[in-house]
Amino acid sequence: MSVCSFQYLVEPLPNVALNKETVQSSTWSGTEYWASKAVDGCRNGEVPQGCCTHTSPTEGSPCWHIDLLGLHEVTAVTIIIRGGCTAYRLIGAQISIGNSLDQNGIKNSMCGTVKSLGSSPTHTSQCNSMEGRYITVFIPGPKKTLTMCEVEVFASLSGMVLMQLKLQILYERLMC
């Protein structure tokens, strides 16, 4: 009788947001702080580096969303925060995940809320494998400004991880 030992290597999930289609509710007039700046791979939080988004400062409930172009199981969403004295603007931001863009996606399931920032230049919300195609970041309330320097979405295609695991187990059984 032979005994097989199984060893599984788990690779980190990829950032599936990189260079995907994005939209934000407004762009600060006369600037280049477009929605796509949040998924261009530039993690620098300094505004002069040109890596950040920025909505109009007088907008009510500004929002930003990304289309992942397919259903994903989202494990975490990380936001790289703008440096300097304006990081506080992100407090209260809500992150939702789902398959609808009704009301800009803000009615989709909630992954997390930015409650505090501390001294870290990032905020990560753990989403526990929530499924969805769209990720929305919005700040409810009047006269809010949404500015982010990168949004990273760590996810796998829905069902893909389970299928890979089943194939690996099948392969290991056949090899014993």
Side-chain angles (χ1 to χ4, degrees), residues 81 113 145:
I81 300 163
T113 300
T145 302

Side-chain angles (χ1 to χ4, degrees), residues 127-175:
C127 304
N128 301 318
S129 297
M130 292 176 68
E131 282 195 348
R133 175 178 175 170
Y134 304 105
I135 311 295
T136 301
V137 179
F138 66 102
I139 306 175
K143 295 187 179 180
K144 300 288 185 177
T145 302
L146 179 58
T147 180
M148 304 175 294
C149 297
E150 195 70 14
V151 176
E152 298 170 333
V153 178
F154 299 98
S156 61
L157 288 173
S158 183
M160 191 167 114
V161 172
L162 182 59
M163 180 60 75
Q164 287 176 342
L165 184 58
K166 285 180 181 179
L167 289 174
Q168 182 65 31
I169 291 170
L170 180 61
Y171 175 78
E172 294 290 336
R173 286 182 180 164
L174 290 173
M175 297 307 291

Side-chain angles (χ1 to χ4, degrees), residues 43 78-81 90 114 116-124 152:
R43 300 178 94 236
T78 296
I79 300 173
I80 309 301
I81 300 163
L90 200 60
V114 180
S116 65
L117 299 173
S119 61
S120 175
T122 65
H123 170 81
T124 299
E152 298 170 333

